[in-house]
């Protein structure tokens, strides 16, 4: 059975972590497959929006600790390299993806699995979803970008509480504190995410790419203003911008082409 499922429809690519019996925990093979799929998706102009979800009852339980422990006991250095080899490139690729990425969080998202959701642009959560940062419980610190993404979503104080106390956050609290975009019944999470992704796929995707680039910037104000000036000029030179202005003046719906 493939550990990663890939489906394309209506300009939207759905990447489904497919290890339901292990709550879609990350093995080395799954990490490599997901990273390759994300890299390929970024280059595919036919894909205009992306949805990441999990099969079964969980979104992703994070690192597969059974594989991790086995490798540690065997003296294999792979577990200590996985952050640099897999998680860091994956998060960078998602944040830099020049198209919207949505997480359809269908259940528990823990550790690197939660970090994967935080790296996405929008998060649709099922009622039963919960987010858990339990790195400290296994004697580890944050990885997969969570030290950067999580405080930006919910603030430093709440992020520290999740990290130090390993306190799970349920879907409704996640919505209240700004961690997720929307909460829907369990059976509707993927459909809702796909509906929103199709809406984004029909939009001005070059502008979305520039928005993502500007929003990911973490430098000072002067440099941010320079970045905004450049990305706004690039977005303003697109056919989508001219079409949107013309449609506004003509009081008609815009037809975006991603150019």
């Amino acid at each position: 059975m493939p550990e990663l499922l890939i489906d394309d429809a209506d300009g939207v690519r759905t990447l489904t972590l497919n290890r339901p019996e292990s709550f879609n925990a990350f093995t080395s093979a799954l990490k490599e497959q997901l990273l390759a799929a994300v890299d390929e998706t970024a280059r595919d102009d036919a894909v205009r929006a992306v949805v990441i979800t999990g099969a079964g009852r969980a979104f992703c339980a994070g690192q597969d600790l059974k594989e991790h422990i086995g490798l540690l006991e065997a003296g294999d250095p792979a577990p200590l390299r996985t952050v640099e080899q897999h998680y860091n490139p994956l998060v960078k690729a998602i944040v830099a993806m020049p198209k919207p990425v949505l997480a359809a969080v269908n259940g528990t998202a823990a550790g690197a699995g939660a970090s994967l959701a935080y790296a996405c642009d929008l998060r649709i959560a099922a009622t039963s979803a919960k987010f858990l940062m339990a790195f400290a419980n296994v004697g580890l610190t944050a990885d997969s970008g969570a030290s950067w993404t999580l405080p930006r979503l919910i603030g430093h104080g709440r992020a520290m509480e999740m990290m130090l106390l390993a306190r799970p956050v349920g879907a409704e609290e996640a919505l209240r504190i700004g961690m997720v975009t929307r909460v829907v019944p369990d059976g509707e999470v993927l459909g809702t995410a796909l509906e929103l992704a199709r809406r984004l796929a029909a939009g001005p995707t070059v502008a979305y790419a520039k928005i993502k680039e500007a929003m990911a910037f973490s430098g000072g104000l002067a440099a941010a203003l320079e970045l905004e000036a450049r990305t706004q000029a690039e977005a303003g030179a697109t056919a989508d911008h001219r079409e949107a202005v013309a449609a506004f003046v003509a009081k008609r719906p815009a037809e975006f082409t991603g150019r």
Side-chain angles (χ1 to χ4, degrees), residues 2 25 28 49-50 52 56 71 78 89 98 106-107 111 115 124 126-127 133 160 165 177 180 188 212 214 225 228 238:
S28 295
V50 184
I52 301 176
L71 292 171
N106 54 302
S115 301
I124 309 301
T127 304
M133 306 304 288
M160 285 296 286
L165 303 181
I177 65 178
V180 302
E188 299 177 17
K212 288 188 61 170
L225 292 173
E228 285 183 354
T238 63

Side-chain angles (χ1 to χ4, degrees), residues 24-38:
N24 302 313
F26 279 124
T27 60
S28 295
L30 179 54
K31 285 179 281 191
E32 290 172 359
Q33 290 175 41
L34 181 59
L35 178 57
V38 168

Side-chain angles (χ1 to χ4, degrees), residues 162-186:
M162 288 186 69
M163 293 285 188
L164 294 177
L165 303 181
R167 185 180 69 83
V169 171
E172 291 300 332
E173 182 182 359
L175 179 64
R176 178 174 59 82
I177 65 178
M179 186 186 293
V180 302
T181 309
R182 194 178 304 176
V183 174
V184 299
D186 287 358

Side-chain angles (χ1 to χ4, degrees), residues 53-150:
T53 193
R57 297 183 293 118
F59 176 73
C60 178
Q63 175 65 40
D64 187 312
L65 291 180
K66 291 182 180 179
E67 180 187 76
H68 183 78
I69 291 169
L71 292 171
L72 284 176
E73 291 179 344
D76 193 314
L80 304 179
R81 294 198 305 257
T82 192
V83 170
E84 291 186 59
Q85 288 187 345
H86 302 120
Y87 291 134
N88 286 359
L90 177 60
V91 169
K92 288 178 181 178
I94 290 172
V95 172
M97 174 85 69
K99 56 199 80 178
V101 184
L102 291 74
V105 185
N106 54 302
T108 296
S115 301
L116 173 65
Y118 304 151
C120 295
D121 302 307
L122 300 173
R123 284 150 295 284
I124 309 301
T127 304
S128 65
K130 65 179 180 179
F131 298 83
L132 177 64
M133 306 304 288
F135 289 103
N137 285 356
V138 291
L140 292 175
T141 182
D143 64 25
S144 307
S147 64
W148 187 84
T149 55
L150 186 58

